[in-house]
Amino acid sequence: MAQTQILSAREGEITPEMEFVAQREDLPVETIRDEVAAGRMVIPANKVHLEGVLEPMCIGIAAKCKINANIGNSAVTSNVQDELEKLHTAVHHGSDTVMDLSTGKDIDDIRKQIIAASPVPIGTVPIYQMLEELGGNIEDMRPQHFLDMVEHQAKQGVDYMTVHCGIKLEHLHLSVNRVTGIVSRGGSLIAKWMMAHNKQNPLYDSFDDLCDIMRQYDVTWSLGDGMRPGSIADASDDAQFAELDVLGELTARGQANGTQVMVEGPGHIPLHQIQMNIEKQIEICNGAPFYVLGPLVTDIAPGYDHITSGIGAAMAGWHGAAMLCYVTPKEHLGLPNREDVKQGVIAYKIAAHAADVARGRKGAQDRDDALSRARFAFDWNEQFRLSLDPETAQAYHDETLPQDTFKSAHFCSMCGPKYCSMKITEDIRKMAAEKKLVELPKA
């Protein structure tokens, strides 16, 4: 049996990847090993990608909350250079993984170049490229087509793959009365195949064969949520949870087969149902890392869904989601460009960081405290440096006060020199010290 991170961990071995991850997370390497062995943490690191520029990372409840950015072309627009620019933008602004969701032409060339250039794990949804090669007719798929595509992408170096093997024939009727039906592209394609052939999901039936391929290259499962809700009206319904029960079964089977497993989660969930959804997944999937899309907490904000979903993402991370899949302003509207990718990544870095602070993760609040001290000291350059997006922070400041002298001024353009509460607080402290009412803190 090919060795994988989970098999090594079960044998008590500490791999170089675990060592690297432990340093990045500031956690004992034994903690990393034990969490991987228990299936509560994954290290998505295809053996082929490890031979290139990949820097190993981990996804799991014991580690910092991670974020993913989706890129990829479509049948309508985009090219290799555009996708490489999106990759650079995502990684530059802090995305922990990137998914190539290309559905148009030249998918192979795009993916090869993305993997070769990416220091972060790359994920895919193999059914997209398989469908492109079948001319767009999912009914023509045979199980071997899918197996061949998974192996092809594994050989390229893909680190984790979304496979919609939890949606079953007997669950399809549960989606009939939904407002938005089956919104997962992969889920809808498999549903159409099952209806056309009146047979069980071939990816479910081929699960053990797929495990053999994943194990050989140490590709991490991202068990797809084909029945995820596409509107808050459909959230937490029988269709969603029927599939989740199957994903719990497949999580155990995948781990027993020596493969690493994480589980994808719902996309549209109202605020008051988020905690329940996270806790239910953790229970059913025995703590396997939960990777959620959003979730979006309202459906009325096209063009601002990176904000809508960022609210849900922060709550999901707080309650135990291990990775948050970003949503850009273009969600539901079009293919994201480079600026959309940046906006999505920044929104989700905020959400993940807020979740880490809420969960009390070691050192999570240090950067907040450092920026607050710089803010009170009117150290504008240090504020910019500590910002998630230094360029934007400085641009907003300089929009009205661009001169260098204002980089040391004890006010900004909002309050001016006489109405700045922090400047007034400084004055109060000095007055109190002069009157010997208080002792000024030492710098």
Side-chain angles (χ1 to χ4, degrees):
M1 182 180 288
Q3 199 69 346
T4 62
Q5 296 293 333
I6 190 171
L7 288 174
S8 294
R10 286 177 186 162
E11 294 169 2
E13 180 185 349
I14 292 174
T15 65
E17 293 74 35
M18 294 176 200
E19 292 272 11
F20 191 88
V21 163
Q23 292 181 11
R24 292 185 71 169
E25 296 289 332
D26 193 18
L27 288 172
V29 71
E30 293 80 10
T31 298
I32 301 296
R33 179 196 61 201
D34 294 347
E35 289 295 295
V36 171
R40 292 187 296 266
M41 180 181 288
V42 297
I43 300 175
N46 185 314
K47 296 173 182 178
V48 176
H49 199 180
L50 277 173
E51 295 173 358
V53 298
L54 178 65
E55 298 175 1
M57 54 81 73
C58 68
I59 303 166
I61 192 62
K64 297 184 185 74
C65 189
K66 303 305 193 299
I67 74 163
N68 171 70
N70 292 334
I71 63 173
N73 76 348
S74 76
V76 177
T77 184
S78 189
N79 55 49
V80 172
Q81 192 55 43
D82 288 344
E83 299 315 315
L84 289 175
E85 288 179 358
K86 291 179 194 176
L87 170 69
H88 173 77
T89 298
V91 174
H92 175 72
H93 289 287
S95 189
D96 299 291
T97 75
V98 171
M99 289 199 79
D100 170 22
L101 304 185
S102 294
T103 57
K105 303 297 182 183
D106 301 320
I107 294 177
D108 249 11
D109 184 44
I110 287 175
R111 183 173 309 108
K112 286 177 184 176
Q113 295 200 44
I114 286 173
I115 292 172
S118 179
V120 304
I122 296 297
T124 61
V125 185
I127 200 169
Y128 295 168
Q129 185 176 4
M130 185 210 70
L131 184 67
E132 175 68 17
E133 294 190 0
L134 289 176
N137 299 312
I138 191 62
E139 298 89 341
D140 295 340
M141 180 188 77
R142 297 192 307 274
Q144 193 61 45
H145 286 136
F146 191 81
L147 290 165
D148 289 345
M149 181 54 65
V150 167
E151 184 166 19
H152 172 70
Q153 293 192 359
K155 288 179 178 178
Q156 286 184 311
V158 173
D159 300 290
Y160 66 96
M161 298 186 194
T162 295
V163 182
H164 298 90
C165 43
I167 179 173
K168 298 179 75 173
L169 182 62
E170 55 266 36
H171 299 156
L172 297 185
H173 74 281
L174 298 173
S175 68
V176 171
N177 294 320
R178 279 180 157 188
V179 172
T180 49
I182 301 174
V183 298
S184 160
R185 287 192 295 195
S188 64
L189 289 167
I190 291 299
K192 187 176 183 182
W193 187 95
M194 287 190 285
M195 288 298 293
H197 296 278
N198 196 31
K199 291 182 178 179
Q200 187 54 275
N201 183 342
L203 311 187
Y204 176 85
D205 286 343
S206 302
F207 186 78
D208 290 336
D209 292 332
L210 288 166
C211 280
D212 291 342
I213 300 170
M214 308 284 262
R215 186 175 59 245
Q216 183 177 352
Y217 297 90
D218 202 3
V219 176
T220 298
W221 284 99
S222 186
L223 294 176
D225 52 343
M227 284 289 201
R228 71 172 180 265
S231 59
I232 61 172
D234 297 335
S236 307
D237 67 355
D238 290 343
Q240 177 190 332
F241 289 142
E243 181 184 33
L244 182 59
D245 285 336
V246 179
L247 297 183
E249 169 209 329
L250 295 177
T251 296
R253 284 175 57 186
Q255 292 170 347
N257 275 322
T259 57
Q260 301 187 88
V261 183
M262 61 181 173
V263 179
E264 294 187 11
H268 293 246
I269 300 288
L271 278 173
H272 62 287
Q273 295 179 15
I274 291 175
Q275 182 175 357
M276 176 272 291
N277 269 266
I278 302 299
E279 291 175 350
K280 193 176 184 73
Q281 184 275 343
I282 291 171
E283 178 185 357
I284 290 173
C285 300
N286 197 31
F290 201 15
Y291 165 33
V292 298
L293 175 66
L296 289 82
V297 297
T298 182
D299 298 325
I300 61 169
Y304 298 91
D305 279 334
H306 60 310
I307 298 172
T308 299
S309 64
I311 295 167
M315 287 195 66
W318 175 22
H319 292 299
M323 186 160 76
L324 312 171
C325 184
Y326 87 168
V327 173
T328 77
K330 286 276 181 64
E331 188 76 12
H332 304 110
L333 301 173
L335 185 71
N337 60 26
R338 183 171 56 181
E339 180 59 24
D340 298 319
V341 169
K342 174 184 173 181
Q343 293 300 322
V345 169
I346 294 296
Y348 272 66
K349 291 297 287 185
I350 294 168
H353 180 75
D356 285 340
V357 171
R359 292 187 66 83
R361 288 192 169 96
K362 180 182 178 183
Q365 196 174 317
D366 290 354
R367 187 169 173 180
D368 297 86
D369 295 344
L371 194 146
S372 295
R373 286 190 290 270
R375 182 172 287 152
F376 192 78
F378 296 96
D379 187 341
W380 294 102
N381 288 320
E382 183 67 356
Q383 286 186 64
F384 304 150
R385 187 186 72 81
L386 290 166
S387 300
L388 282 177
D389 183 1
E391 295 85 1
T392 298
Q394 181 167 348
Y396 282 172
H397 173 273
D398 291 357
E399 191 173 330
T400 46
L401 298 173
Q403 293 85 355
D404 285 343
T405 55
F406 291 111
K407 295 296 190 299
S408 57
H410 282 218
F411 61 88
C412 70
S413 61
M414 181 176 180
C415 296
K418 293 185 178 180
Y419 291 93
C420 176
S421 60
M422 292 190 181
K423 177 64 171 66
I424 293 169
T425 299
E426 276 191 342
D427 294 341
I428 292 170
R429 288 181 175 179
K430 289 177 182 177
M431 291 166 62
E434 289 169 0
K435 296 179 179 182
K436 302 187 184 303
L437 297 176
V438 296
E439 184 179 344
L440 279 176
K442 294 179 180 179

